[in-house]
Amino acid sequence: MLRNVRAEVHSLDGEWEFSFAGGPWRPIRVPGTWQAQTDVPRWSEGPGRYRRTVRVPSYWQGRRIELVFEAVSYHAEVLVNGQSVGEHQGMWTPFAFDVTDALRLGHSNLIEVVVTAPGLPADSRFPMRQALAGFIPDVSLPFGGIWQGVRLVAHRGCALDDLHVQADLHSGKVALQAAIRAPLGLSPQAQALLTLRAPNGSIAALNRLPIRSDKLDATLAIDHPLAWSPEHPALYSAELVIEDTPGDPVLQVTRRFGFRELARQGEHVLLNGMPVSLRGALHWGWYPDALCPAPDAATVRDEFAKLRALGFNLVKLCLFVPSQTYYEVADEEGMLLWQEFPLWLPEITPDLRRRAPDEYRSIMALVAPHPSVVLVSLGCELGRDVDAGFVQSLDDAVRGSAAGMLLCDNSGSGEAYGAQTADASDFYDYHFYCDLHYFDPLIDHFRRDWREQRPWIFGEFCDADDYRDLDALRRAYHGRLPWWLTEPHPIHTGKLGYHEQEARVARLTLPYSQSDLQRISRRQSLMVRKTILEKVRARAGMGGYVVTGIHQTGLATSSLFDDHMQPKYDADSFTQFNADSVLVLGQGRLRDWVRGGDRPRRRDMANHVGGQPVRFSVILAHIGPRLLGGDLSWQAVDEAGDSVGYGQQTLTGWLPLGDPATIGTIDFTPPARRRVYRVTLYVELQSGAHHIKNEWPLWIHPAISAWPESLAILDPCGTLASLDDLYETVPRLARASKTHTWPRRVIASALTMSVLDYLRQGGNVLLLQTGAGPLPARPCSFWREAINLPGSHPAMDALRHGGFADVQFYHLATDYALDTAQLGTALGDEISNVRSIFGRLDARQFYWLDYIVEANVGAGKLIASTLRFGGGQGDQVSGLRDNIAGRTLLAGLLAAL
């Protein structure tokens, strides 16, 4: 609500009295939530009762007096001196009641507000899934209270609900509209003075016109307006003064605005007519000290500065509506915003169907005036229980006010979640939360050339959980952990284990400290984010993305910043792949003739064989000013600092702008060595003042042309054929063969009775398991929600893995891991000396699984693994011959038998 500086305002922010569910009265501060300030049950809906006595001056006689609330969660019944003056339902939007007749001027007046929060149980008065509560209850809790400001406003003569300003960048025209409320009427001499001020405060346009009705509609023009952009957030202001008689202003309001245009052209997003790369971070409205999304301006500026340092230019307000401070600072700082309306897993009742369009209109009235808001989505991951008619009613409520914005009806896309087939979006939006090797196949699956051309903007994706160091957090909280890490979350019972993290990890007796686990997991998460974002920038038609997420929360540790809003990643490293201009690598393609037809033959980008050529295309994905020519250089440097390859090219002409394109090639032959060694490939482009760089790890392996002697394969499950050249050259055992004739080592796909007898007699078995059996195993992702921990073992050490599961393991990644704690149920007392070779710590529930485990069974030795030595999932290689890291690891495991 606009502030009328000619009206007299009495702020009611500050100390009130509060009683919860009929309990004793206690002091509480407004604005704020009762959960953050009292010890009442956090998940109770209330009601909570607020009261405050205020003296109203007698000279307000003859004025219309309003009681204004910026936002209350969720339902508010307001009484003045015991008289009900109105009710409001909805947690995000402002409302006001005329209290002129209820007040006693010149005396003390009692203001009471009875507030009921959204409830978790289905039989609550206002169940949260019917209350447009968004995602905040899933992250934190459905907060309750007067969480934004309150004031009494005494108007002189007239009032204004809003001032609509529409600025056109091309013509410089500014259209202003307002509805004037003057219950007692204005004089015939009433006039409106409209003033447009430039960003420096000077007058850019001025107009005075008579007021003939309660509608004000005027257009002014500015010559050569400055565009609002992230680089130059030029803010103009429109000032409206209403004079009842000449020289007697009764109303004065100001609205800031910007000349900003966002549009789509085919698959590209244009900001002020130029291509833009939208790089966003997902915000869940998590502020643990306040438990509501109402940060002060300093906090918001700090968020934006730290996001910018990592290369981001957009924040997605995921399923929540913050206080106006957030938008105002974004306007000032040039941070782009994506407003997502709070519709998540809704229960579509007749009441919600009726209320939602009106609430959407009210929310849109809050966000539309801000030039920072460029994208809007009507809901998130809406499924088949949300019908197309309901979504269309929301679209109708919003689209008319979304000029200069791009709108998406269902972030995540209706087709991906089985929802309505109607699609009124301005861009394609998918939420691919997946392991690395499934990302490109997912894009290929959902991308169709016959669809309408639209930009593709990932509304949320690229999550990567890591480990929260509780010792460090405890120090910040004066020796204790915050409640959201000590109490189970009632919505996610059984899915999260943060409240027992310390105890669960302690029971595992891992050889890592908490700081070790945090450091290792962050190296893994950085690799995941780099790999995914580079995959996006290597594709045409990608308008942008939103990375999950900004803050570490009680729901997930997938974040760019920790609990103290400190960055998890080095800015120089992160901006190499998260910036307007990014260099990425590409590879040529191969095909294979398999069983009478062509099939794709995929290649490993990270692992290579010494003595064989390594070739890449250098791809530039550039958004910004046109670049003319430049010098492209690259160098491959081993761990000793020695160069194993170098190249330089001079580029001429205009470099590609918009879609990615090749600008050069890399071709070198790393020397063959007896052991695996790591190489860092550095690539740099210098074009005028623009310096663009990136780097990648490569692993150079010795060629493995022969497998150990005294080796055979037993494959009753028929799952080992992907070991191709090994499968074809090593003898295969018949299931009925006598175990005393078996060689020293056996690769098996099952633990048959013969295999168990062989182990008991002192044999050596490498079990390659692809599913839930024969050993106890659990389905799981490989990188998502996982911290992968390579153990100390000759076979693992030979990979030069650096202490974490880097992209080196791309083509070994699996979706099963061994439940080592249950091995005894499968092998009985005969199993001993169990040793983890490569393990997985679940990042959310803190249980342990193994990708490779070693144990003695009887007198024999068993190594069991669920890794994909033959690849074959997603866009992994097909077969052992192309799985270079897989060959090295397999050879090492066989050598250990």
Side-chain angles (χ1 to χ4, degrees):
M1 289 183 174
L2 290 174
R3 300 291 181 100
N4 175 10
V5 299
R6 297 295 176 176
E8 189 157 343
V9 177
H10 182 86
S11 172
L12 297 181
D13 294 352
E15 189 169 292
W16 289 53
E17 288 186 295
F18 176 74
S19 171
F20 188 80
W25 291 96
R26 67 189 84 182
I28 194 170
R29 288 196 63 80
V30 169
T33 65
W34 66 56
Q35 290 96 333
Q37 300 184 67
T38 70
D39 57 358
V40 302
R42 293 189 180 90
W43 288 84
S44 175
E45 62 191 284
R49 194 175 192 96
Y50 292 77
R51 70 183 183 188
R52 176 168 176 168
T53 300
V54 58
R55 185 175 180 82
V56 179
S58 57
Y59 65 81
W60 281 13
Q61 184 69 42
R63 300 188 182 190
R64 190 173 63 84
I65 305 170
E66 288 185 319
L67 179 56
V68 180
F69 295 84
E70 297 292 345
V72 176
S73 177
Y74 164 75
H75 178 273
E77 180 185 0
V78 182
L79 301 96
V80 176
N81 295 322
Q83 175 185 338
S84 176
V85 295
E87 297 184 23
H88 179 267
Q89 186 174 344
M91 62 196 297
W92 309 110
T93 54
F95 57 96
F97 299 121
D98 189 328
V99 295
T100 307
D101 296 336
L103 290 172
R104 296 193 295 266
L105 303 185
H107 299 277
S108 293
N109 294 264
L110 178 64
I111 298 175
E112 298 173 279
V113 187
V114 182
V115 180
T116 305
L120 178 59
D123 60 352
S124 301
R125 183 181 178 192
F126 302 106
M128 66 178 189
R129 298 304 187 200
Q130 301 172 21
L132 293 180
F135 196 59
I136 281 184
D138 296 79
V139 177
S140 172
L141 44 73
F143 63 88
I146 306 173
W147 67 282
Q148 292 190 43
V150 189
R151 61 187 183 273
L152 278 171
V153 181
H155 297 282
R156 288 186 57 217
C158 65
L160 201 70
D161 284 332
D162 205 352
L163 175 62
H164 298 280
V165 180
Q166 188 65 48
D168 183 78
L169 177 61
H170 299 287
S171 66
K173 292 182 178 180
V174 181
L176 302 102
Q177 294 177 324
I180 302 169
R181 291 186 283 115
L184 301 179
L186 293 171
S187 72
Q189 295 82 28
Q191 290 186 325
L193 176 63
L194 293 167
T195 307
L196 302 183
R197 295 188 180 275
N200 63 4
S202 64
I203 295 177
L206 186 69
N207 193 16
R208 183 183 292 272
L209 63 158
I211 298 176
R212 300 298 186 215
S213 70
D214 60 355
K215 303 292 184 184
L216 180 68
D217 196 337
T219 299
L220 286 74
I222 295 176
D223 293 330
H224 311 296
L226 300 174
W228 184 97
S229 69
E231 298 77 21
H232 304 287
L235 283 174
Y236 289 77
S237 63
E239 180 185 276
L240 168 62
V241 176
I242 294 179
E243 296 179 346
D244 192 26
T245 58
D248 180 25
V250 294
L251 181 143
Q252 181 178 342
V253 296
T254 301
R255 166 75 77 194
R256 295 194 303 181
F257 67 95
F259 288 92
R260 195 265 301 144
E261 178 186 69
L262 191 80
R264 62 183 173 106
Q265 187 178 78
E267 294 183 324
H268 299 100
V269 180
L270 304 181
L271 179 63
N272 300 329
M274 296 296 295
V276 62
S277 167
L278 300 175
R279 301 180 303 278
L282 192 73
H283 202 319
W284 282 333
W286 172 246
Y287 295 98
D289 293 335
L291 296 177
C292 64
D296 60 26
T299 298
V300 180
R301 290 187 205 280
D302 182 64
E303 281 185 9
F304 290 167
K306 290 175 177 176
L307 284 167
R308 275 221 168 88
L310 292 180
F312 292 96
N313 59 13
L314 179 142
V315 174
K316 183 178 184 182
L317 307 174
C318 178
L319 297 162
F320 75 100
V321 184
S323 61
Q324 282 293 294
T325 299
Y326 204 94
Y327 302 96
E328 291 164 358
V329 175
D331 292 342
E332 295 164 3
E333 298 293 331
M335 180 60 74
L336 303 174
L337 297 180
W338 178 338
Q339 179 62 65
E340 182 164 82
F341 284 76
L343 191 66
W344 159 255
L345 297 179
E347 297 175 14
I348 309 297
T349 63
D351 181 62
L352 181 61
R353 194 177 295 275
R354 175 186 58 79
R355 285 188 300 100
D358 288 337
E359 189 161 349
Y360 270 48
R361 274 186 282 269
S362 297
I363 292 173
M364 197 63 186
L366 292 176
V367 304
H370 297 282
S372 55
V373 181
V374 293
L375 301 178
V376 172
S377 47
L378 303 181
C380 179
E381 299 173 3
L382 305 178
R384 58 177 53 90
D385 53 340
V386 181
D387 60 274
F390 178 61
V391 174
Q392 186 60 54
S393 72
L394 304 179
D395 188 286
D396 293 341
V398 168
R399 190 171 289 275
S401 302
M405 307 176 189
L406 297 183
L407 190 146
C408 172
D409 60 2
N410 187 355
S411 186
S413 90
E415 65 175 355
Y417 292 90
Q420 78 285 351
T421 55
D423 180 7
S425 297
D426 296 322
F427 55 93
Y428 297 119
D429 174 359
Y430 295 95
H431 299 175
F432 293 160
Y433 288 117
C434 62
D435 271 336
L436 301 179
H437 49 294
Y438 286 110
F439 185 74
D440 279 329
L442 275 165
I443 293 181
D444 294 335
H445 177 68
F446 280 95
R447 188 166 187 166
R448 285 140 285 176
D449 292 340
W450 45 263
R451 290 197 300 181
E452 177 189 3
Q453 278 200 338
R454 301 176 190 169
W456 186 311
I457 305 173
F458 291 96
E460 55 183 85
F461 84 144
C462 196
D463 65 329
D465 289 84
D466 52 35
Y467 190 87
R468 178 186 270 120
D469 185 345
L470 296 182
D471 289 339
L473 190 61
R474 190 179 281 109
R475 288 192 293 271
Y477 277 84
H478 310 291
R480 302 177 62 185
L481 292 177
W483 66 266
W484 39 271
L485 288 178
T486 59
E487 299 176 12
H489 197 295
I491 294 178
H492 303 288
T493 302
K495 298 179 182 179
L496 301 176
Y498 295 118
H499 61 293
E500 295 181 344
Q501 172 182 332
E502 207 159 33
R504 294 184 186 187
V505 173
R507 286 196 293 268
L508 298 174
T509 62
L510 301 177
Y512 306 98
S513 67
Q514 292 207 51
S515 60
D516 289 338
L517 290 172
Q518 180 171 280
R519 174 181 50 81
I520 293 168
S521 63
R522 288 188 182 177
R523 293 181 69 190
Q524 176 182 302
S525 68
L526 177 63
M527 177 276 298
V528 167
R529 298 191 193 279
K530 174 180 170 68
T531 303
I532 292 291
L533 296 188
E534 288 180 353
K535 285 175 178 285
V536 173
R537 295 304 296 272
R539 285 179 173 264
M542 298 288 124
Y545 50 75
V546 175
V547 173
T548 303
I550 290 183
H551 298 115
Q552 201 158 254
T553 71
L555 178 66
T557 55
S558 175
S559 64
L560 300 162
F561 303 94
D562 65 14
D563 293 299
H564 316 297
M565 199 55 194
Q566 295 304 305
K568 294 182 177 182
Y569 312 116
D570 172 68
D572 185 62
S573 299
F574 206 89
T575 52
Q576 289 184 7
F577 54 86
N578 188 52
D580 279 340
S581 305
V582 173
L583 295 171
V584 296
L585 297 180
Q587 270 185 318
R589 300 293 189 262
L590 296 173
R591 37 73 61 198
D592 238 351
W593 189 263
V594 179
R595 297 174 188 168
D598 281 320
R599 297 185 185 182
R601 181 177 177 183
R602 296 184 174 89
R603 307 170 71 180
D604 190 335
M605 290 189 67
N607 296 283
H608 303 269
V609 176
Q612 297 182 13
V614 175
R615 297 188 178 96
F616 295 112
S617 295
V618 179
I619 300 167
L620 173 64
H622 171 64
I623 296 292
R626 293 296 302 268
L627 302 180
L628 180 61
D631 293 315
L632 177 68
S633 61
W634 60 268
Q635 186 172 21
V637 180
D638 69 11
E639 295 156 299
D642 297 326
S643 177
V644 297
Y646 172 80
Q648 187 170 3
Q649 297 168 253
T650 298
L651 309 179
T652 60
W654 293 108
L655 299 186
L657 174 66
D659 287 335
T662 301
I663 60 170
T665 58
I666 293 171
D667 193 338
F668 70 103
T669 301
R673 297 177 183 172
R674 294 180 57 192
R675 294 181 176 85
V676 178
Y677 64 99
R678 176 175 164 145
V679 164
T680 302
L681 177 61
Y682 300 95
V683 183
E684 298 188 24
L685 171 63
Q686 187 73 48
S687 179
H690 286 76
H691 182 216
I692 308 164
K693 64 180 181 178
N694 207 343
E695 63 187 67
W696 298 268
L698 306 176
W699 288 265
I700 312 301
H701 297 249
I704 297 176
S705 55
W707 299 100
E709 296 180 354
S710 190
L711 174 65
I713 290 177
L714 180 68
D715 187 21
C717 298
T719 58
L720 301 181
S722 63
L723 301 183
D724 40 48
D725 67 316
L726 184 149
Y727 194 79
E728 294 163 3
T729 58
V730 171
R732 273 172 271 172
L733 300 171
R735 294 188 63 174
S737 60
K738 303 297 184 182
T739 57
H740 69 272
T741 65
W742 290 9
R744 174 183 166 186
R745 308 176 185 89
V746 171
I747 302 176
S749 62
L751 286 179
T752 64
M753 292 304 297
S754 297
V755 173
L756 290 172
D757 287 341
Y758 171 70
L759 280 167
R760 294 184 187 105
Q761 296 164 13
N764 300 292
V765 174
L766 175 59
L767 174 69
L768 300 184
Q769 182 170 318
T770 58
L775 293 180
R778 296 172 65 170
C780 60
S781 53
F782 187 75
W783 279 293
R784 282 205 72 244
E785 302 179 12
I787 302 167
N788 294 327
L789 297 165
S792 178
H793 186 276
M796 293 299 295
D797 296 343
L799 291 176
R800 306 289 295 175
H801 51 70
F804 75 106
D806 208 333
V807 69
Q808 175 187 32
F809 290 90
Y810 190 105
H811 297 277
L812 283 159
T814 180
D815 53 9
Y816 275 92
L818 299 166
D819 192 349
T820 314
Q822 303 300 319
L823 287 182
T825 62
L827 298 174
D829 295 337
E830 295 179 285
I831 188 169
S832 61
N833 301 321
V834 178
R835 175 187 179 189
S836 174
I837 297 177
F838 185 16
R840 177 190 191 275
L841 176 64
D842 190 273
R844 297 188 181 183
Q845 298 192 61
F846 307 102
Y847 59 80
W848 181 266
L849 301 174
D850 275 299
Y851 301 118
I852 311 176
V853 67
E854 182 181 76
N856 292 115
V857 178
K861 187 175 184 179
L862 171 68
I863 296 179
S865 178
T866 59
L867 295 176
R868 307 279 304 187
F869 290 92
Q873 291 188 334
D875 63 356
Q876 291 177 334
V877 297
S878 299
L880 180 63
R881 65 172 175 174
D882 292 327
N883 198 344
I884 298 169
R887 293 177 74 85
T888 298
L889 180 57
L890 185 62
L893 294 175
L894 290 173
L897 291 175

